[in-house]
Amino acid sequence: METCWEEAGWERLAPGVARRRLPEWDETVGVVVGRTDILVVDTGATLRAGAELRALITRLTGRRPTRIALTHPHFDHVLGSAAFAGCEVYGATGMDELLRRERETLREDAIRHGVERNAATEAVDHLVGPHHLVSGELTLDLGERQVLLANVGPGHTAHDLAVLVPGRPEVVFCGDLVEESGTPQAGPDAIPGRWPAALDRLLALGGPDARYVPGHGSVVDAGFVRAQRDELAARFGVSL
């Protein structure tokens, strides 16, 4: 089964845990397979991307995804969510209100970054926000596997959620708090002064031996995350 995942373009991170870098915006999506539930981490930038992702996971596992964790409210990580009908969606506290309030901003941001206008409008019109909000930490039981959702922000946005998958190795899905393929992007909704502290919380969550999965780019280690924390602190004048 692991070979099938790799042949389908996924990178195996641990038993039952994989991720894929999607084309166009190079955003990472993840999957965690338990005995009774399947968790998807982020859903891509369009309904088509989300539908393709759901179909592929269903084919590879023989089961439909049942839960979604959204790492933050940017278009390339959330707009595929409506393709996962029936899934329970999790996000950081306040993300539901932001997605309701800022739908037009989200649509325009997607179009500005290259999503076709009709596709962006369709995805925003059908957007599914979080049903469950995480203010601290929340443990999900996927059936003989537990996953921890942690509200480690603010930083990249006001609503940054990390996903810890215990095991050997432990895997941490970081969203765009960590980026490997380029300099972390600080848009108008970033909170730069608190970003380094968010990375400290991320490192405390995963520990020194975890595999850290950035929102864009290759999987990194704790040393990379610490170095990026230091770079962000220097960039934004934050004392460590």
Side-chain angles (χ1 to χ4, degrees):
M1 181 172 176
E2 302 298 349
T3 301
C4 292
W5 282 90
E6 291 166 356
E7 290 176 351
W10 292 77
E11 178 183 359
R12 180 180 178 273
L13 303 172
V17 186
R19 71 96 179 233
R20 192 177 191 196
R21 293 168 68 173
L22 299 183
E24 302 294 337
W25 297 277
D26 188 38
E27 71 273 32
T28 283
V29 295
V31 63
V32 185
V33 181
R35 182 177 57 83
T36 58
D37 286 271
I38 296 174
L39 173 71
V40 177
V41 182
D42 290 339
T43 60
T46 64
L47 279 175
R48 179 177 178 179
E52 290 175 351
L53 179 63
R54 180 173 184 168
L56 184 55
I57 292 171
T58 301
R59 178 171 65 82
L60 290 169
T61 64
R63 293 184 282 140
R64 292 184 177 182
T66 53
R67 306 191 190 195
I68 294 170
L70 299 176
T71 62
H72 63 289
H74 286 167
F75 81 94
D76 49 332
H77 297 264
V78 305
L79 286 186
S81 298
F84 290 82
C87 287
E88 295 294 307
V89 182
Y90 299 79
T93 295
M95 187 176 176
D96 56 337
E97 294 180 6
L98 181 140
L99 290 177
R100 284 194 295 267
R101 185 177 67 246
E102 301 291 342
R103 286 190 173 222
E104 183 58 25
T105 300
L106 188 65
R107 186 180 78 91
E108 291 301 328
D109 191 43
I111 293 168
R112 185 169 62 255
H113 283 88
V115 177
E116 192 273 328
R117 182 172 294 274
N118 289 339
T121 298
E122 179 186 32
V124 170
D125 284 349
H126 295 90
L127 180 63
V128 177
H131 306 112
H132 307 280
L133 300 173
V134 182
S135 60
E137 296 181 351
L138 176 67
T139 299
L140 301 182
D141 186 352
L142 304 183
E144 298 179 359
R145 158 165 264 153
Q146 292 188 329
V147 174
L148 182 69
L149 308 183
N151 186 339
V152 295
H156 177 66
T157 72
H159 310 287
D160 294 313
L161 188 76
V163 180
L164 169 67
V165 187
R168 295 186 179 179
E170 293 192 326
V171 177
V172 182
F173 290 94
C174 307
D176 286 3
L177 281 169
V178 178
E179 295 192 40
E180 184 276 335
S181 55
T183 302
Q185 297 300 302
D189 58 343
I191 304 177
R194 299 181 67 180
W195 199 333
L199 293 184
D200 283 333
R201 288 189 287 273
L202 201 65
L203 287 163
L205 185 70
D209 300 320
R211 304 188 73 187
Y212 292 87
V213 186
H216 302 267
S218 301
V219 176
V220 300
D221 61 13
F224 181 95
V225 178
R226 281 193 295 271
Q228 194 155 92
R229 175 204 58 184
D230 294 346
E231 292 168 3
L232 287 166
R235 176 179 167 189
F236 297 122
V238 178
S239 297
L240 294 176

